[in-house]
Amino acid sequence: MAPIAKALTIAGSDSGGGAGIQADLKTFQELGVYGMSALTAITAQNTLGVHGVFPVETAAVTAQLQAIGADLPPDALKTGMLFSHDRIQAVAEAIAYFKWKNVVVDPVMIAKSGAQLLQHQALSSLKSSLLPLAEAVTPNIPEAELLADQTIATMEDRKEACRRIAETSVRYVILKGGHASDDGPVIDLLFDGFDFYEMEGARIATRHTHGTGCTFSAAITAGLANGLDMQSAALQAKAFIQAAIQNGLNIGTGQGPTNHFAYRNRK
Ligand SMILES: Nc1ncnc2c1ncn2[C@@H]1O[C@H](COP(=O)(O)OP(=O)(O)OP(=O)(O)O)[C@@H](O)[C@H]1O
Ligand SMILES: Cc1ncc(CO)c(N)n1
């Protein structure tokens, strides 16, 4: 029997379990890969918002990555909340040192509830140190506006932002459409440096979308770990998040998490 594929998430903890490390590990498990984690920060968080952010020491981030690299090389990895310049540098150094491939960067900046998960001055490190090492970056529309330094209103603006972000030499840009202001289908755009592929799904009318971005990028990472090419991994991730939002769990009194079991139970 072939050994099980291993995937790593380098991200923050969400005590509420819907986003961050917890969403990533649940997604890895559902998609049949062995999940590992390196924590960058602890958040005190629930469906009502982020009540505290406690960064993990940079030396502890490095120590976790060294321990994993020395014994359990990941077949794919994703980054989520990285919080600061120093932590981004530590992550970039480990990726370069161990020559890790299949790196998916979810450029987490601001939680849906408004909390700052990446310091403002760290944006340029993300672009210059991490994106060149990445196979894919998965911004939402506000994150793409910051990465591309432009505003986004139309589909042509989204494509222009993808082209600009690709200049960092990241291989694929996957621009998520959850934040689009229209009521039409949610279109996630995949750009491979030459062509655009539109991944479309029905827009689900729900406020329970906490952790959708984390779950989506974790599903892409799991697909890559299992040997899928980027387009197949992205399409599987789109189906995974669509099912997870569609079959919401309805827990918590605020913006609740999605249902990580739903893809497994789909008809
Ligand atoms: N209402 C919705 N209906 C269907 N799909 C959605 C909806 N909202 C988001 N999605 C999907 O969920 C994924 C994440 O998209 P979104 O743009 O919301 O990311 P995000 O803002 O980074 O999420 P978060 O910050 O909460 O982790 C995308 O694949 C998107 O298509
Ligand atoms: C820890 C953490 N990472 C990412 C997000 C973005 O959804 C969040 N809310 N919390």
Short mmCIF file of all heavy atoms in Angstrom, two decimals, residues 88 105-109 118 120 122-132 136-152 160-168 170 172-176:
data_model
loop_
_atom_site.label_atom_id
_atom_site.label_comp_id
_atom_site.label_asym_id
_atom_site.label_seq_id
_atom_site.Cartn_x
_atom_site.Cartn_y
_atom_site.Cartn_z
N ILE A 88 6.49 35.53 8.88
CA ILE A 88 6.54 35.25 7.43
C ILE A 88 7.96 34.86 7.03
O ILE A 88 8.18 33.89 6.29
CB ILE A 88 6.06 36.47 6.62
CG1 ILE A 88 4.56 36.67 6.83
CG2 ILE A 88 6.38 36.31 5.12
CD1 ILE A 88 4.02 37.97 6.27
N VAL A 105 -0.58 29.54 -0.54
CA VAL A 105 -0.62 30.67 0.39
C VAL A 105 -2.03 31.26 0.39
O VAL A 105 -2.49 31.79 -0.63
CB VAL A 105 0.41 31.76 0.01
CG1 VAL A 105 0.23 33.00 0.89
CG2 VAL A 105 1.83 31.21 0.14
N ASP A 106 -2.72 31.14 1.52
CA ASP A 106 -3.98 31.85 1.70
C ASP A 106 -3.60 33.16 2.40
O ASP A 106 -3.22 33.13 3.57
CB ASP A 106 -4.93 31.00 2.58
CG ASP A 106 -6.29 31.66 2.74
OD1 ASP A 106 -6.55 32.67 2.07
OD2 ASP A 106 -7.09 31.15 3.55
N PRO A 107 -3.65 34.28 1.70
CA PRO A 107 -3.11 35.52 2.26
C PRO A 107 -4.07 36.16 3.26
O PRO A 107 -4.58 37.26 3.04
CB PRO A 107 -2.91 36.39 1.02
CG PRO A 107 -3.99 35.95 0.08
CD PRO A 107 -4.22 34.49 0.35
N VAL A 108 -4.28 35.46 4.37
CA VAL A 108 -5.24 35.90 5.39
C VAL A 108 -4.82 37.27 5.93
O VAL A 108 -3.69 37.43 6.39
CB VAL A 108 -5.27 34.87 6.54
CG1 VAL A 108 -6.08 35.39 7.71
CG2 VAL A 108 -5.81 33.54 6.04
N MET A 109 -5.72 38.23 5.87
CA MET A 109 -5.38 39.59 6.34
C MET A 109 -6.36 40.07 7.42
O MET A 109 -5.96 40.51 8.47
CB MET A 109 -5.37 40.56 5.17
CG MET A 109 -4.28 40.23 4.16
SD MET A 109 -4.24 41.34 2.77
CE MET A 109 -3.19 40.44 1.64
N LEU A 118 -3.19 40.06 9.92
CA LEU A 118 -1.84 40.29 9.37
C LEU A 118 -1.53 41.76 9.59
O LEU A 118 -2.33 42.63 9.20
CB LEU A 118 -1.81 39.98 7.87
CG LEU A 118 -0.46 40.19 7.17
CD1 LEU A 118 0.53 39.09 7.54
CD2 LEU A 118 -0.62 40.23 5.65
N HIS A 120 -0.24 45.38 9.01
CA HIS A 120 -0.21 46.14 7.76
C HIS A 120 1.15 46.10 7.08
O HIS A 120 1.27 45.86 5.88
CB HIS A 120 -0.56 47.60 8.07
CG HIS A 120 -1.71 48.07 7.25
ND1 HIS A 120 -2.21 47.38 6.18
CD2 HIS A 120 -2.47 49.20 7.35
CE1 HIS A 120 -3.21 48.02 5.65
NE2 HIS A 120 -3.40 49.13 6.35
N ALA A 122 3.33 43.97 7.10
CA ALA A 122 3.81 42.64 6.69
C ALA A 122 3.40 42.28 5.26
O ALA A 122 3.87 41.30 4.70
CB ALA A 122 3.31 41.58 7.66
N LEU A 123 2.53 43.09 4.67
CA LEU A 123 2.04 42.79 3.31
C LEU A 123 3.19 42.67 2.30
O LEU A 123 3.21 41.76 1.48
CB LEU A 123 1.05 43.88 2.88
CG LEU A 123 0.47 43.75 1.48
CD1 LEU A 123 -0.40 42.51 1.37
CD2 LEU A 123 -0.34 44.99 1.11
N SER A 124 4.15 43.58 2.40
CA SER A 124 5.24 43.55 1.43
C SER A 124 6.12 42.30 1.62
O SER A 124 6.62 41.75 0.64
CB SER A 124 6.07 44.83 1.48
OG SER A 124 6.64 44.95 2.74
N SER A 125 6.30 41.82 2.86
CA SER A 125 7.08 40.58 3.06
C SER A 125 6.34 39.39 2.46
O SER A 125 6.97 38.48 1.90
CB SER A 125 7.31 40.27 4.54
OG SER A 125 7.29 41.38 5.32
N LEU A 126 5.03 39.40 2.63
CA LEU A 126 4.24 38.30 2.05
C LEU A 126 4.48 38.24 0.54
O LEU A 126 4.71 37.18 -0.04
CB LEU A 126 2.75 38.54 2.36
CG LEU A 126 1.82 37.40 2.03
CD1 LEU A 126 1.80 36.40 3.18
CD2 LEU A 126 0.41 37.89 1.78
N LYS A 127 4.45 39.42 -0.09
CA LYS A 127 4.63 39.47 -1.55
C LYS A 127 6.05 39.12 -1.97
O LYS A 127 6.27 38.37 -2.91
CB LYS A 127 4.29 40.88 -2.07
CG LYS A 127 2.80 41.12 -2.18
CD LYS A 127 2.47 42.55 -2.53
CE LYS A 127 2.74 42.88 -3.98
NZ LYS A 127 2.20 44.22 -4.32
N SER A 128 7.02 39.66 -1.25
CA SER A 128 8.40 39.50 -1.74
C SER A 128 9.06 38.21 -1.25
O SER A 128 9.89 37.65 -1.95
CB SER A 128 9.24 40.72 -1.35
OG SER A 128 9.27 40.82 0.06
N SER A 129 8.70 37.72 -0.06
CA SER A 129 9.40 36.54 0.48
C SER A 129 8.62 35.24 0.28
O SER A 129 9.22 34.19 0.07
CB SER A 129 9.65 36.69 1.98
OG SER A 129 10.39 37.84 2.22
N LEU A 130 7.30 35.31 0.40
CA LEU A 130 6.54 34.05 0.41
C LEU A 130 5.96 33.70 -0.96
O LEU A 130 6.04 32.55 -1.39
CB LEU A 130 5.42 34.16 1.46
CG LEU A 130 4.86 32.85 1.96
CD1 LEU A 130 5.97 31.93 2.48
CD2 LEU A 130 3.85 33.09 3.07
N LEU A 131 5.37 34.67 -1.64
CA LEU A 131 4.70 34.33 -2.92
C LEU A 131 5.67 33.73 -3.96
O LEU A 131 5.27 32.82 -4.69
CB LEU A 131 3.94 35.53 -3.48
CG LEU A 131 2.71 35.95 -2.66
CD1 LEU A 131 1.82 36.91 -3.44
CD2 LEU A 131 1.89 34.74 -2.22
N PRO A 132 6.92 34.16 -4.02
CA PRO A 132 7.81 33.52 -5.00
C PRO A 132 8.05 32.03 -4.71
O PRO A 132 8.42 31.29 -5.62
CB PRO A 132 9.13 34.31 -4.86
CG PRO A 132 8.72 35.62 -4.28
CD PRO A 132 7.56 35.33 -3.38
N ALA A 136 0.52 28.36 -5.42
CA ALA A 136 -0.76 29.08 -5.60
C ALA A 136 -0.98 30.06 -4.46
O ALA A 136 -0.55 29.83 -3.32
CB ALA A 136 -1.91 28.07 -5.65
N VAL A 137 -1.69 31.14 -4.79
CA VAL A 137 -2.15 32.08 -3.77
C VAL A 137 -3.66 32.24 -3.95
O VAL A 137 -4.14 32.23 -5.08
CB VAL A 137 -1.40 33.44 -3.86
CG1 VAL A 137 -1.64 34.14 -5.19
CG2 VAL A 137 -1.77 34.37 -2.70
N THR A 138 -4.39 32.31 -2.83
CA THR A 138 -5.85 32.26 -2.91
C THR A 138 -6.50 33.48 -2.26
O THR A 138 -7.20 33.35 -1.25
CB THR A 138 -6.39 30.98 -2.22
OG1 THR A 138 -5.99 31.04 -0.82
CG2 THR A 138 -5.83 29.72 -2.84
N PRO A 139 -6.31 34.69 -2.80
CA PRO A 139 -6.90 35.87 -2.17
C PRO A 139 -8.42 35.95 -2.36
O PRO A 139 -8.95 35.45 -3.36
CB PRO A 139 -6.23 37.04 -2.92
CG PRO A 139 -5.91 36.47 -4.27
CD PRO A 139 -5.58 35.02 -4.03
N ASN A 140 -9.11 36.58 -1.40
CA ASN A 140 -10.47 37.02 -1.68
C ASN A 140 -10.37 38.39 -2.34
O ASN A 140 -9.26 38.90 -2.55
CB ASN A 140 -11.34 37.00 -0.40
CG ASN A 140 -10.79 37.93 0.68
OD1 ASN A 140 -10.12 38.93 0.39
ND2 ASN A 140 -11.06 37.63 1.94
N ILE A 141 -11.49 39.00 -2.66
CA ILE A 141 -11.42 40.24 -3.44
C ILE A 141 -10.70 41.37 -2.68
O ILE A 141 -9.79 41.99 -3.23
CB ILE A 141 -12.82 40.64 -3.97
CG1 ILE A 141 -13.21 39.65 -5.07
CG2 ILE A 141 -12.83 42.08 -4.49
CD1 ILE A 141 -14.60 39.83 -5.64
N PRO A 142 -11.03 41.64 -1.41
CA PRO A 142 -10.29 42.71 -0.70
C PRO A 142 -8.79 42.42 -0.59
O PRO A 142 -7.96 43.33 -0.70
CB PRO A 142 -10.94 42.74 0.69
CG PRO A 142 -12.27 42.09 0.52
CD PRO A 142 -12.15 41.11 -0.60
N GLU A 143 -8.42 41.15 -0.39
CA GLU A 143 -6.98 40.80 -0.32
C GLU A 143 -6.31 41.01 -1.67
O GLU A 143 -5.17 41.50 -1.75
CB GLU A 143 -6.82 39.34 0.14
CG GLU A 143 -7.18 39.14 1.61
CD GLU A 143 -7.54 37.69 1.98
OE1 GLU A 143 -7.61 36.81 1.09
OE2 GLU A 143 -7.78 37.46 3.18
N ALA A 144 -7.02 40.65 -2.75
CA ALA A 144 -6.45 40.84 -4.09
C ALA A 144 -6.26 42.33 -4.38
O ALA A 144 -5.28 42.72 -5.02
CB ALA A 144 -7.37 40.20 -5.14
N GLU A 145 -7.17 43.17 -3.88
CA GLU A 145 -7.02 44.62 -4.08
C GLU A 145 -5.72 45.10 -3.44
O GLU A 145 -4.99 45.91 -4.01
CB GLU A 145 -8.21 45.37 -3.49
CG GLU A 145 -9.48 45.14 -4.28
CD GLU A 145 -10.68 45.95 -3.79
OE1 GLU A 145 -10.86 46.07 -2.56
OE2 GLU A 145 -11.42 46.46 -4.64
N LEU A 146 -5.42 44.59 -2.25
CA LEU A 146 -4.19 45.01 -1.56
C LEU A 146 -2.95 44.42 -2.23
O LEU A 146 -1.94 45.11 -2.42
CB LEU A 146 -4.24 44.59 -0.09
CG LEU A 146 -5.21 45.42 0.76
CD1 LEU A 146 -5.42 44.78 2.12
CD2 LEU A 146 -4.70 46.85 0.92
N LEU A 147 -3.02 43.15 -2.63
CA LEU A 147 -1.85 42.51 -3.26
C LEU A 147 -1.55 43.14 -4.62
O LEU A 147 -0.38 43.26 -5.01
CB LEU A 147 -2.09 41.01 -3.43
CG LEU A 147 -2.07 40.17 -2.15
CD1 LEU A 147 -2.56 38.75 -2.42
CD2 LEU A 147 -0.65 40.12 -1.57
N ALA A 148 -2.61 43.52 -5.34
CA ALA A 148 -2.41 44.06 -6.69
C ALA A 148 -2.37 45.59 -6.69
O ALA A 148 -2.08 46.19 -7.73
CB ALA A 148 -3.53 43.58 -7.61
N ASP A 149 -2.68 46.19 -5.55
CA ASP A 149 -2.68 47.64 -5.42
C ASP A 149 -3.62 48.29 -6.45
O ASP A 149 -3.23 49.16 -7.22
CB ASP A 149 -1.24 48.18 -5.59
CG ASP A 149 -1.12 49.60 -5.08
OD1 ASP A 149 -1.99 50.01 -4.31
OD2 ASP A 149 -0.15 50.29 -5.46
N GLN A 150 -4.85 47.84 -6.44
CA GLN A 150 -5.87 48.40 -7.34
C GLN A 150 -7.24 48.13 -6.73
O GLN A 150 -7.35 47.32 -5.81
CB GLN A 150 -5.79 47.72 -8.72
CG GLN A 150 -6.15 46.24 -8.69
CD GLN A 150 -6.35 45.63 -10.06
OE1 GLN A 150 -5.37 45.25 -10.71
NE2 GLN A 150 -7.60 45.51 -10.49
N THR A 151 -8.26 48.78 -7.26
CA THR A 151 -9.61 48.44 -6.82
C THR A 151 -10.19 47.42 -7.80
O THR A 151 -9.76 47.34 -8.95
CB THR A 151 -10.52 49.68 -6.77
OG1 THR A 151 -10.48 50.29 -8.05
CG2 THR A 151 -10.05 50.67 -5.72
N ILE A 152 -11.16 46.65 -7.30
CA ILE A 152 -11.77 45.62 -8.14
C ILE A 152 -13.28 45.81 -8.13
O ILE A 152 -13.93 45.73 -7.09
CB ILE A 152 -11.43 44.21 -7.62
CG1 ILE A 152 -9.91 43.97 -7.73
CG2 ILE A 152 -12.21 43.14 -8.39
CD1 ILE A 152 -9.45 42.62 -7.19
N GLU A 160 -7.23 41.57 -14.22
CA GLU A 160 -6.05 42.44 -14.15
C GLU A 160 -5.30 42.21 -12.82
O GLU A 160 -4.08 42.16 -12.78
CB GLU A 160 -6.48 43.91 -14.31
CG GLU A 160 -5.36 44.93 -14.27
CD GLU A 160 -4.23 44.67 -15.29
OE1 GLU A 160 -4.46 43.97 -16.28
OE2 GLU A 160 -3.11 45.16 -15.04
N ALA A 161 -6.08 42.09 -11.74
CA ALA A 161 -5.46 41.85 -10.42
C ALA A 161 -4.68 40.51 -10.44
O ALA A 161 -3.57 40.43 -9.91
CB ALA A 161 -6.52 41.83 -9.33
N CYS A 162 -5.26 39.50 -11.06
CA CYS A 162 -4.56 38.19 -11.16
C CYS A 162 -3.24 38.37 -11.89
O CYS A 162 -2.20 37.84 -11.46
CB CYS A 162 -5.41 37.17 -11.89
SG CYS A 162 -6.80 36.55 -10.96
N ARG A 163 -3.27 39.10 -13.00
CA ARG A 163 -2.03 39.30 -13.78
C ARG A 163 -1.00 40.01 -12.93
O ARG A 163 0.18 39.65 -12.92
CB ARG A 163 -2.31 40.13 -15.04
CG ARG A 163 -3.13 39.40 -16.09
CD ARG A 163 -3.21 40.20 -17.40
NE ARG A 163 -4.33 39.76 -18.19
CZ ARG A 163 -5.53 40.35 -18.23
NH1 ARG A 163 -5.76 41.47 -17.53
NH2 ARG A 163 -6.50 39.85 -18.96
N ARG A 164 -1.43 41.02 -12.19
CA ARG A 164 -0.47 41.77 -11.36
C ARG A 164 0.10 40.90 -10.24
O ARG A 164 1.29 40.97 -9.93
CB ARG A 164 -1.16 42.98 -10.72
CG ARG A 164 -1.47 44.07 -11.72
CD ARG A 164 -1.83 45.30 -10.95
NE ARG A 164 -2.35 46.33 -11.82
CZ ARG A 164 -2.53 47.58 -11.45
NH1 ARG A 164 -2.25 47.95 -10.22
NH2 ARG A 164 -3.01 48.47 -12.29
N ILE A 165 -0.76 40.10 -9.63
CA ILE A 165 -0.29 39.25 -8.52
C ILE A 165 0.68 38.19 -9.06
O ILE A 165 1.66 37.84 -8.41
CB ILE A 165 -1.49 38.63 -7.77
CG1 ILE A 165 -2.31 39.74 -7.10
CG2 ILE A 165 -1.02 37.61 -6.74
CD1 ILE A 165 -3.67 39.30 -6.58
N ALA A 166 0.43 37.73 -10.28
CA ALA A 166 1.32 36.71 -10.88
C ALA A 166 2.72 37.26 -11.11
O ALA A 166 3.68 36.48 -11.24
CB ALA A 166 0.72 36.21 -12.19
N GLU A 167 2.85 38.59 -11.13
CA GLU A 167 4.20 39.18 -11.30
C GLU A 167 5.12 38.87 -10.11
O GLU A 167 6.34 39.01 -10.23
CB GLU A 167 4.10 40.70 -11.49
CG GLU A 167 3.61 41.07 -12.88
CD GLU A 167 3.26 42.54 -13.02
OE1 GLU A 167 3.63 43.33 -12.11
OE2 GLU A 167 2.60 42.90 -14.01
N THR A 168 4.56 38.45 -8.99
CA THR A 168 5.40 38.06 -7.84
C THR A 168 6.10 36.74 -8.12
O THR A 168 6.90 36.29 -7.31
CB THR A 168 4.56 37.85 -6.56
OG1 THR A 168 3.59 36.82 -6.84
CG2 THR A 168 3.86 39.12 -6.13
N VAL A 170 4.45 33.84 -8.29
CA VAL A 170 3.61 32.72 -7.85
C VAL A 170 3.05 32.06 -9.11
O VAL A 170 2.79 32.75 -10.10
CB VAL A 170 2.48 33.23 -6.92
CG1 VAL A 170 1.52 34.17 -7.63
CG2 VAL A 170 1.71 32.07 -6.30
N TYR A 172 0.18 30.02 -9.72
CA TYR A 172 -1.27 30.13 -9.97
C TYR A 172 -1.89 31.15 -9.02
O TYR A 172 -1.55 31.16 -7.83
CB TYR A 172 -1.98 28.79 -9.69
CG TYR A 172 -1.61 27.68 -10.64
CD1 TYR A 172 -0.54 26.83 -10.37
CD2 TYR A 172 -2.36 27.46 -11.80
CE1 TYR A 172 -0.20 25.81 -11.23
CE2 TYR A 172 -2.03 26.43 -12.67
CZ TYR A 172 -0.95 25.60 -12.39
OH TYR A 172 -0.63 24.58 -13.25
N VAL A 173 -2.78 31.96 -9.55
CA VAL A 173 -3.56 32.86 -8.70
C VAL A 173 -5.01 32.37 -8.74
O VAL A 173 -5.57 32.19 -9.83
CB VAL A 173 -3.48 34.33 -9.20
CG1 VAL A 173 -4.29 35.24 -8.28
CG2 VAL A 173 -2.03 34.79 -9.29
N ILE A 174 -5.58 32.14 -7.56
CA ILE A 174 -6.98 31.71 -7.50
C ILE A 174 -7.73 32.78 -6.72
O ILE A 174 -7.61 32.89 -5.50
CB ILE A 174 -7.10 30.32 -6.83
CG1 ILE A 174 -6.24 29.30 -7.60
CG2 ILE A 174 -8.57 29.89 -6.77
CD1 ILE A 174 -6.17 27.93 -6.97
N LEU A 175 -8.45 33.62 -7.47
CA LEU A 175 -9.13 34.77 -6.86
C LEU A 175 -10.57 34.38 -6.55
O LEU A 175 -11.37 34.14 -7.46
CB LEU A 175 -9.06 35.96 -7.83
CG LEU A 175 -9.14 37.35 -7.26
CD1 LEU A 175 -8.92 38.40 -8.34
CD2 LEU A 175 -10.42 37.65 -6.53
N LYS A 176 -10.89 34.33 -5.26
CA LYS A 176 -12.20 33.86 -4.82
C LYS A 176 -13.25 34.96 -4.98
O LYS A 176 -12.96 36.13 -4.77
CB LYS A 176 -12.14 33.43 -3.36
CG LYS A 176 -11.16 32.29 -3.09
CD LYS A 176 -10.92 32.08 -1.60
CE LYS A 176 -10.17 33.21 -0.96
NZ LYS A 176 -9.77 32.94 0.43
#
